[in-house]
Amino acid sequence: MEQAEGKKVIYSAIQPSGNLTIGNYVGAVRNWLTLQREYECYFAIADMHAITVKLVPAELRRHTLELAALYLACGIDPAQCALYVQSHVPAHAELCWVLNTVTYVGEASRMTQFKDKSRRHSDNVNMGLMDYPVLMAADILLYGANYVPVGADQKQHVELARDLAERFNSRYGETFTVPEPLIPKGGARIASLQDPERKMSKSDTNPGASVFLSDDRDTILRKFRRAVTDSDNRIVFSEDKPGISNLLSIYCAFKGCTMSEAEASFAGMGYGEFKLAVGETVADVLAPVQARQRELLAEKKELAALLEAGRERAFYTSRKTLSKVYRKVGFYQG
Ligand code: ATP
Ligand code: LTN
């Protein structure tokens, strides 16, 4: 990684909890590409967050490598950023413990994602699920991140990280940089193709709801063909047409056009033809990314070496912050 004196810091991560969706792609990874040139960037694979819900261990391992390959296939450049696996850097869990002591149970239990996941995984409402945003705050604060690029669903968590940073600073003296979320203008919230009121999610159990970056062309076209719409046959962006509006947003995000350009190009077209055009646009953009990911996954040793280089870089920065925190809270350090 290049020396990055004086550059502002960016931190983001994705959980290896399944195959990435086009929501993760346009809401997260794709926006990181333009940032990596200007900022000192840390991009992690949040495997410690992922185990807050039940996963098959072998699949977690596979998804971790696949996610690393996908970051690279999308254009994340390991020469410019630290790309690493969260569990390889122990300071995350260590800072999380300290931050737990400045987090109120009330504020953690009010987080939308905690309430949502507690409902969806009612047989496994574990402490980790509630601690999830505190671990996320530890991720961000360890690297002195100024900005955290995430989809709209994670804004509340970044706000908690801000609150914890400010609370710690006022209790123990200036220690942490207070981070700000960076939410993309287009594609910040891609909805499910089957229930456009809900966000598209990689762990959705309805197979038609999410389009995965690993889907082949036929699967992508089939999912778009079956996407939920409405019965009035007008292709316009409007609050009372969530299905059509979602498809239009996806089209704009993949085509790189504005909403009015998209509406103009589909004026008078039937829903069937429209859905095919959206599916084809998505499939065309994903094809080269998928091919590159396959090549990278065939070179496991090189992938492991890249992750090791990222770990070293993250280890060094995170240790410096953690020592400072330990000193501030009064841990005896000899
Ligand atoms: P899970 O289903 O396992 O909770 P997820 O699909 O919600 O996962 P995360 O790992 O939680 O994905 O999120 C990774 C990044 O992708 C975050 O920045 C998040 O804001 C963004 N993201 C997730 N889903 C969407 C979506 N539907 N639209 C836009 N951005 C999204
Ligand atoms: N919870 C995040 C993933 C994540 C993250 C982070 C994002 C873990 N740690 C730190 C930004 C900064 C999510 O996107 N679901």
Side-chain angles (χ1 to χ4, degrees), residues 112-267:
T112 307
Q113 183 185 285
F114 171 66
K115 290 194 282 189
D116 190 47
K117 286 201 174 172
S118 303
R119 233 173 284 128
R120 277 193 287 142
H121 304 273
S122 54
D123 60 330
N124 184 25
V125 184
N126 60 79
M127 293 293 288
L129 206 54
M130 191 159 161
D131 214 21
Y132 183 113
V134 185
L135 177 60
M136 189 166 151
D139 297 346
I140 298 166
L141 301 182
L142 274 176
Y143 301 93
N146 302 92
Y147 303 110
V148 183
V150 282
D153 62 304
Q154 294 297 314
K155 184 164 178 255
Q156 195 183 37
H157 288 167
V158 182
E159 277 160 6
L160 180 72
R162 287 174 64 85
D163 290 345
L164 298 184
E166 281 167 355
R167 197 174 301 155
F168 187 97
N169 287 349
S170 73
R171 193 175 296 179
Y172 294 108
E174 207 54 32
T175 309
F176 294 124
T177 304
V178 179
E180 277 175 48
L182 267 189
I183 315 281
K185 283 193 198 76
R189 188 182 182 280
I190 300 289
S192 154
L193 295 190
Q194 291 301 315
D195 178 1
E197 304 293 341
R198 287 182 45 185
K199 82 160 188 157
M200 185 181 284
S201 159
K202 55 175 127 70
S203 54
D204 201 314
T205 48
N206 182 338
S210 306
V211 177
F212 297 107
L213 300 194
S214 55
D215 284 344
D216 61 28
R217 192 178 183 85
D218 287 348
T219 310
I220 295 174
L221 296 183
R222 179 165 34 83
K223 286 181 177 173
F224 277 103
R225 196 165 52 237
R226 295 187 187 157
V228 169
T229 50
D230 52 45
S231 56
D232 92 344
N233 255 325
R234 280 179 317 122
I235 301 170
V236 288
F237 187 89
S238 143
E239 246 175 51
D240 60 347
K241 294 169 71 68
I244 291 296
S245 300
N246 186 41
L247 292 173
L248 278 168
S249 304
I250 295 173
Y251 181 80
C252 292
F254 279 84
K255 196 77 182 176
C257 66
T258 65
M259 190 53 73
S260 42
E261 284 166 353
E263 285 174 338
S265 64
F266 294 121

